[in-house]
Amino acid sequence: MEKAESLSEIEARIRKHRLVLLLISRPNCSVCQAVRPQIEELLLKKSEIHGFHIDADQVTEIAGAYSVFAVPAVIVLAEGKEMLRKVRFIPMGELEKQLTQLISAYIE
């Protein structure tokens, strides 16, 4: 998962890739630190989805741009449109199933 350093960089990557997963977190969030390696592992199995990590403390405008009020937040976009959002509690099995369905709809 790549790290995004600015809102403009995030927007450029969303335009570039058909399927994008954004993981928005904060460094002092223990849940965020636990979720990130699980998301990274999941993305290894789903190479069709491009994953980007955003530090909400560093890219402060992310909260307003994507209406993020709690972290960790996972936002999945297909062709620039939000298709899926998970916040705080992120069930990995459910997320994996939903990503598989999204890949089937947009790639295959």
Side-chain angles (χ1 to χ4, degrees):
M1 183 170 2
E2 298 176 47
K3 184 172 183 181
E5 304 284 340
S6 70
L7 189 58
S8 60
E9 182 182 350
I10 294 162
E11 291 168 349
R13 290 176 179 192
I14 289 170
R15 284 190 301 275
K16 181 179 177 182
H17 301 290
R18 195 166 190 188
L19 296 174
V20 173
L21 181 145
L22 303 176
L23 172 61
I24 303 163
S25 67
R26 289 201 157 93
N28 61 350
C29 167
S30 61
V31 176
C32 299
Q33 302 311 313
V35 164
R36 185 174 175 185
Q38 294 177 57
I39 297 287
E40 289 174 337
E41 185 177 321
L42 179 59
L43 288 174
L44 290 174
K45 296 187 250 178
K46 308 288 182 192
S47 61
E48 303 87 350
I49 300 175
H50 299 273
F52 302 100
H53 173 252
I54 301 102
D55 178 342
D57 288 346
Q58 182 182 0
V59 185
T60 55
E61 62 271 27
I62 193 75
Y66 289 92
S67 300
V68 174
F69 303 106
V71 292
V74 171
I75 301 173
V76 181
L77 301 108
E79 298 177 346
K81 295 178 182 77
E82 184 176 325
M83 302 302 287
L84 180 63
R85 179 182 290 243
K86 304 273 184 203
V87 180
R88 287 192 192 162
F89 177 70
I90 302 169
M92 290 301 149
E94 180 181 308
L95 179 60
E96 183 172 6
K97 182 179 177 184
Q98 291 172 322
L99 292 178
T100 299
Q101 292 171 340
L102 204 57
I103 290 167
S104 293
Y106 282 87
I107 302 294
E108 298 172 354

